[in-house]
Amino acid sequence: MQKIPALLLMLVPIFMMNCGGKEALTDPYYVRMADSEMQRNPESWMIDFVKAPKWNYTHGLELQAILQVWEKTVDEKYFNYAENYADTMVNEDGTIKTYNLERYNIDHINPGRMLYPIYKRTGNTKYLKALQLLRSQMVTHPRISNGGYWHKQIYPHQVWLDGLYMACPFLAEYGKTFDEPGLFDEVALQLDTAWEDLIDEKSGLLYHGWDESREQRWSDPVTGKSPHFWSRSIGWYMMALVDVLDFVPENHPKRNDIIDKLNKLSSTVDQYRDPETGMWYQVTDLPDREGNYLESSGSIMFIYTWVKGAQKGYLPEEFAEKGAAAYDQYLKQFIRENGDGTISVTSVCSVAGLGGDKVYRDGSFEYYTSEPVRDDDPKAVGPFIMTSLLLDR
C-alpha cells in the first residue's frame, strides 16, 4: 500500500477546518452582502449609519434588496430583518414615525416600496394604510408648470433626477396593485418631463437638476440646468425606467417611449466607461480631470439597469453580456473581503445634492468630488445585491 506523504497528512486537517469554518465564502454574493449588512447593523433601522430610527429612502432601497434575497432563498431571517424596520416605523394607524406629508419630500416615497411584499405576506392593515398615506402625498405634491414633481418643499421649482426613482416605481406598483391605471400616465409624464428638462443633446447624458425659476445659483440662467453630470443621479433615473416597466401594462401608449429612453441612455453611458476598469467616474464625462474618481454606486446602478433591461427583453442581448462582464470588473474594483468574513463595497459617494441653506451646494465639479466617500453605503449595497440576484452570483 502506498504511503501518504507526511506533509499531505498535515495539510488535510487544515483543509477540512477551512472548509467547515468558512462555508460563507462559497455563498453567492447576494447572500454574503446581505449577511454582512445584517452583521454590521444588528437592527435594521441602523442601516445607513443612523443613530436613531428614521424613515429614509436608503433603508427602503437596501431592505427592498434584502426582501428579494428572502424571495430567492426562502430564508425567513431576511424577511424578518426587513419587516422589523417596517414594524418599527409604521404605527398601528398607518402613520409613519419621522414622516411628515407636508414636507413634500419625494425621497420619503421610496421606502414605501418595501411595504408591498410585507403587506402581501402579513396582511397587516397598518402597512396598507401606510401605503395609502404615501400615495396621498403625491396627490397634492407641488409641481413645476409642465407637471413634474418638485424634489422637496424646501427645493421649490426644482426637479432632480434622484426624485424619479424615489416616486415613479412606487406609483407604478401602486397603480397595478390597487387598480389605479391613471398612475401609469402619471409615471410616464414624470419620466418624460424630466427627460425634456434635463437632457443634454450633445452628450446624450442627463444633468442632475433643473430649476424652473432660475433662482438657484447652481442653475444656468438660460437653461435652468445644473452644471455637471453626476453618475449616480443618471443611475437613479435609469433604474426608475427599468423598474416601472415591471408594472406599466404592455398596451400602455407610453411603454415603448420608456423603453426607447432606456435604450438611448444605456448606449450613452457605455461611451463613458473607464477603459481600464470598466467602471464610471463620479462626474461622468470628465475622467481625466484631477480629483475625479471611480464611484461605485453610479457604476452598479448602470450595471443593474443593463442586466435587468436585457433579461426582460427591453435592451439588446449584448447588454446582458456587457452587464455580466462589468459585474466581474465591479467585483475586482469595489468589493473587499474583510478579515471577519464579511464583504464590503468601497468608494461610495455618501451624498450629493444642490442648493440648501447651511452649506450651499453649487453643483460644481469641485463640489461633487469633495463630498465624503465611504464604504457600505446602502446606495451601492442595495443595487449590488439586486444585480447579484439577477445574475445569480
Side-chain angles (χ1 to χ4, degrees), residues 321-379:
E321 298 166 10
K322 285 179 184 287
Y327 179 87
D328 287 335
Q329 292 175 300
Y330 189 91
L331 294 177
K332 293 176 184 176
Q333 184 69 28
F334 296 124
I335 299 300
R336 184 183 69 229
E337 300 276 349
N338 299 318
D340 61 358
T342 63
I343 57 174
S344 288
V345 59
T346 64
S347 302
V348 196
C349 171
S350 63
V351 67
L354 295 164
D357 293 329
K358 295 178 181 177
V359 177
Y360 194 83
R361 299 169 295 183
D362 63 3
S364 64
F365 175 87
E366 291 75 17
Y367 163 69
Y368 283 112
T369 55
S370 67
E371 285 286 18
V373 176
R374 63 188 184 182
D375 299 342
D376 301 319
D377 187 294
K379 296 180 283 292

Side-chain angles (χ1 to χ4, degrees), residues 95-159:
T95 56
I96 302 169
K97 294 181 179 71
T98 76
Y99 168 79
N100 181 344
L101 185 153
E102 293 178 355
R103 290 179 187 151
Y104 290 110
N105 184 340
I106 209 165
D107 288 344
H108 289 167
I109 301 302
N110 180 65
R113 291 185 70 188
M114 64 176 290
L115 298 181
Y116 291 108
I118 291 174
Y119 171 58
K120 183 178 180 180
R121 171 78 187 281
T122 65
N124 190 329
T125 56
K126 76 174 187 176
Y127 299 130
L128 171 61
K129 292 173 183 175
L131 286 165
Q132 292 168 337
L133 173 64
L134 295 169
R135 164 69 187 102
S136 72
Q137 175 182 320
M138 304 318 295
V139 174
T140 54
H141 197 93
R143 302 169 184 254
I144 57 174
S145 60
N146 63 12
Y149 293 132
W150 288 10
H151 193 62
K152 298 180 186 178
Q153 182 77 30
I154 60 172
Y155 301 130
H157 314 294
Q158 298 167 45
V159 174

Side-chain angles (χ1 to χ4, degrees), residues 13 30 34 55 88 99 113 130 141 179 198 209 220 232 310 339:
Y30 56 81
W55 187 250
T88 298
Y99 168 79
R113 291 185 70 188
H141 197 93
D179 192 23
L198 292 162
D220 184 285
R232 186 161 75 221

Side-chain angles (χ1 to χ4, degrees), residues 54-65:
K54 179 182 180 183
W55 187 250
N56 199 356
Y57 75 93
T58 51
H59 290 72
L61 178 65
E62 183 168 321
L63 293 173
Q64 177 194 349

Side-chain angles (χ1 to χ4, degrees), residues 38 72 115 133 160 165 173 208 257 294 308 359 378 384:
M38 291 166 68
K72 175 78 170 179
L115 298 181
L133 173 64
W160 298 7
Y165 182 81
E173 187 164 1
H208 184 185
D257 184 58
L294 297 170
K308 183 174 180 178
V359 177
F384 175 75

